[in-house]
Amino acid sequence: MQVQLFNEYAIFFALGFLVIYVLAQLLVSKHPRFQALSAIQKSVTVKVIALSGFILVYVILNLFVE
């Protein structure tokens, strides 16, 4: 049995997270709800949205693939 160091879909996971991160960045920079936040609060908000969005997409895709 051959042991793999990385998941064969690691590149797709990384690219998917990058896309979700960019979308979260655009959302926070353009949406009027986030305009009152400071720069640090915006940065944390982007990270929370991106991570939550990636986890949500990952779970949904795993449910449909199985």
Side-chain angles (χ1 to χ4, degrees):
M1 183 168 100
Q2 186 178 5
V3 177
Q4 288 182 326
L5 185 57
F6 294 106
N7 187 327
E8 60 188 84
Y9 300 112
I11 299 286
F12 297 117
F13 291 146
L15 290 175
F17 182 77
L18 183 63
V19 167
I20 292 172
Y21 185 84
V22 168
L23 291 174
Q25 185 75 35
L26 287 172
L27 173 71
V28 170
S29 68
K30 301 289 183 191
H31 200 280
R33 177 183 179 105
F34 302 109
Q35 296 304 316
L37 299 178
S38 70
I40 294 174
Q41 288 173 325
K42 285 181 182 180
S43 177
V44 171
T45 303
V46 167
K47 289 169 179 60
V48 168
I49 291 172
L51 188 58
S52 302
F54 181 74
I55 291 170
L56 181 66
V57 169
Y58 180 79
V59 167
I60 289 172
L61 286 177
N62 274 339
L63 289 176
F64 285 124
V65 169
E66 291 178 359

